């Protein structure tokens, strides 16, 4: 059971990235690859708040969330919006990769290339739960990501603002013609994704440390999570992330440390070949 808990904790990281991808995707039609790098920047900002400034966790978490949200808003205004207005989502997608690379370089320059330990808000004494052991930070991370994913799924399906975001992602021009403020929705989605990345950064760092390469790993497996679960589906991304974490942990435990990535990407390719829209993605309907 300890292996299962470890897999769920790792999967929570990938689910968190997939959730951030889908928040922006559902409102603007863009997969923001830089979202994983925003989480990485958040871990360093959490370190600054907790260690350099000596702030309590209750103050560090909201400050980090707001700071990362501001970075996400700047990204949307400078790097994304001009391209959406002129060339559409494909060009903006490439730009988000560039933004992520830039954030990784800034982190390496400012904080160095060595991993930095961020103090955990919880005791280091592990819990024994259902026959296995798990760190308190990991358990909280799992529960919070589950609550976030389910909550955002319900919000996107049962509120007017959520439905407006879905309409914008489906057809930006048609939504604008219907009177929806697509610019405000897109800006709000980036701000929300950034806020989530910052608020969760303390818990992410409690499992991974703060490191400038963290964004690359999270970006890759977060994309695999939404590809498996289905792009645009919050529940799909949530389940896809946890599935990857479990598959990775079980493979490492029973097959060997050299095989988890091979197995994960083999499953990824299999799903792409058999279910191109993911396990929970539906076929898009068009009226001709």
């Amino acid at each position: 059971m300890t292996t299962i808990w470890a897999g769920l904790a790792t999967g929570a990281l990938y689910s968190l990235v997939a959730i951030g991808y889908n928040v922006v995707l559902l409102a603007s039609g863009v997969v923001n690859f830089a979202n994983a790098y925003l989480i990485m920047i958040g871990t360093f900002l959490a370190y600054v708040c907790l260690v350099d400034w000596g702030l309590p966790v209750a103050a560090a978490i909201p400050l980090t969330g707001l700071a990362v949200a501001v970075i996400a808003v700047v990204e949307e205004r400078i790097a994304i919006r001009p391209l959406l207005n002129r060339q559409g989502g494909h060009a903006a997608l490439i730009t988000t990769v560039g933004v992520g690379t830039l954030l990784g370089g800034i982190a390496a320059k400012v904080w160095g290339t060595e991993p930095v330990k961020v103090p955990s808000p919880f005791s280091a004494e592990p819990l024994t739960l259902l026959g296995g052991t798990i760190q308190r930070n990991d358990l909280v991370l799992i529960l919070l990501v589950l609550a976030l994913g389910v909550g955002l799924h319900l919000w996107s399906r049962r509120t007017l603002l959520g439905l407006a975001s879905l309409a914008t992602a489906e057809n930006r021009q048609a939504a604008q013609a219907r009177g929806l403020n697509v610019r405000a929705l897109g800006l709000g989605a980036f701000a929300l994704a950034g806020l989530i990345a910052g608020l969760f950064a303390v818990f992410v760092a409690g499992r991974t440390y703060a490191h400038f390469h963290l964004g690359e790993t999270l970006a890759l497996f977060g994309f695999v999570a939404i590809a498996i679960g289905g792009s645009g589906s919050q529940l799909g991304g949530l389940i896809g992330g946890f599935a990857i974490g479990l598959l990775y942990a079980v493979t490492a435990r029973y097959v060997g440390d050299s095989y988890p990535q091979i197995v994960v990407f083999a499953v990824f390719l299999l799903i792409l070949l058999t279910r191109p829209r993911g396990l929970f993605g539906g076929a898009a309907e068009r009226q001709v």
Side-chain angles (χ1 to χ4, degrees):
M1 191 62 193
T2 299
T3 300
I4 300 300
W5 284 125
L8 289 174
T10 302
L13 301 177
Y14 306 146
S15 294
L16 179 63
V17 178
I19 288 170
Y21 285 164
N22 279 326
V23 165
V24 174
L25 179 63
L26 289 173
S28 64
V30 175
V31 177
N32 181 24
F33 275 101
N35 182 258
Y37 293 85
L38 293 176
I39 296 176
M40 177 272 297
I41 287 292
T43 62
F44 282 109
L45 294 179
Y47 175 83
V48 170
C49 291
L50 293 171
V51 178
D52 292 345
W53 296 350
L55 297 177
V57 173
I61 290 177
L63 277 177
T64 302
L66 290 174
V68 178
V70 169
I71 296 173
V73 168
V74 172
E75 176 196 359
E76 194 274 343
R77 292 300 302 271
I78 295 177
I80 306 301
R81 184 178 297 185
L83 290 175
L84 284 180
N85 292 336
R86 294 199 300 265
Q87 301 182 35
H90 295 296
L93 170 65
I94 301 302
T95 302
T96 64
V97 177
V99 172
T101 303
L102 177 62
L103 291 176
I106 291 173
K109 185 67 175 179
V110 174
W111 291 287
T113 57
E114 295 299 320
V116 176
K117 181 175 176 56
V118 180
S120 172
F122 305 101
S123 169
E125 185 70 22
L127 294 172
T128 300
L129 194 61
L130 300 178
T133 59
I134 182 174
Q135 293 293 330
R136 299 167 192 265
N137 180 86
D138 292 347
L139 180 60
V140 171
L141 178 63
I142 292 169
L143 295 176
L144 288 177
V145 170
L146 282 171
L148 176 67
V150 174
L152 286 175
H153 169 75
L154 295 175
W155 172 82
S156 66
R157 295 299 193 274
R158 299 187 180 183
T159 67
L160 290 177
L161 188 58
L163 292 173
S165 297
L166 291 175
T168 302
E170 178 68 19
N171 191 313
R172 184 178 178 89
Q173 287 72 30
Q176 192 168 17
R178 292 280 184 172
L180 296 180
N181 191 337
V182 297
R183 291 186 176 183
L185 286 172
L187 182 64
F190 272 85
L192 177 59
L195 180 64
I196 292 170
L199 292 177
F200 277 78
V202 171
F203 307 107
V204 171
R207 177 163 182 79
T208 66
Y209 295 91
H211 191 264
F212 80 103
H213 273 316
L214 176 63
E216 298 175 9
T217 302
L218 292 181
L220 177 61
F221 283 100
F223 174 75
V224 174
I226 63 170
I228 290 176
S231 61
S233 170
Q234 289 290 10
L235 284 184
L238 184 70
I239 295 172
F242 279 112
I244 292 171
L246 286 171
L247 183 61
Y248 198 102
V250 171
T251 303
R253 173 68 175 83
Y254 295 105
V255 180
D257 293 337
S258 302
Y259 297 97
Q261 289 192 11
I262 297 175
V263 173
V264 167
F265 283 100
V267 172
F268 169 58
L269 290 174
L270 178 63
I271 290 177
L272 283 185
L273 291 173
T274 57
R275 293 274 301 180
R277 297 187 63 85
L279 296 177
F280 299 93
E285 295 184 359
R286 292 289 185 274
Q287 185 174 6
V288 179

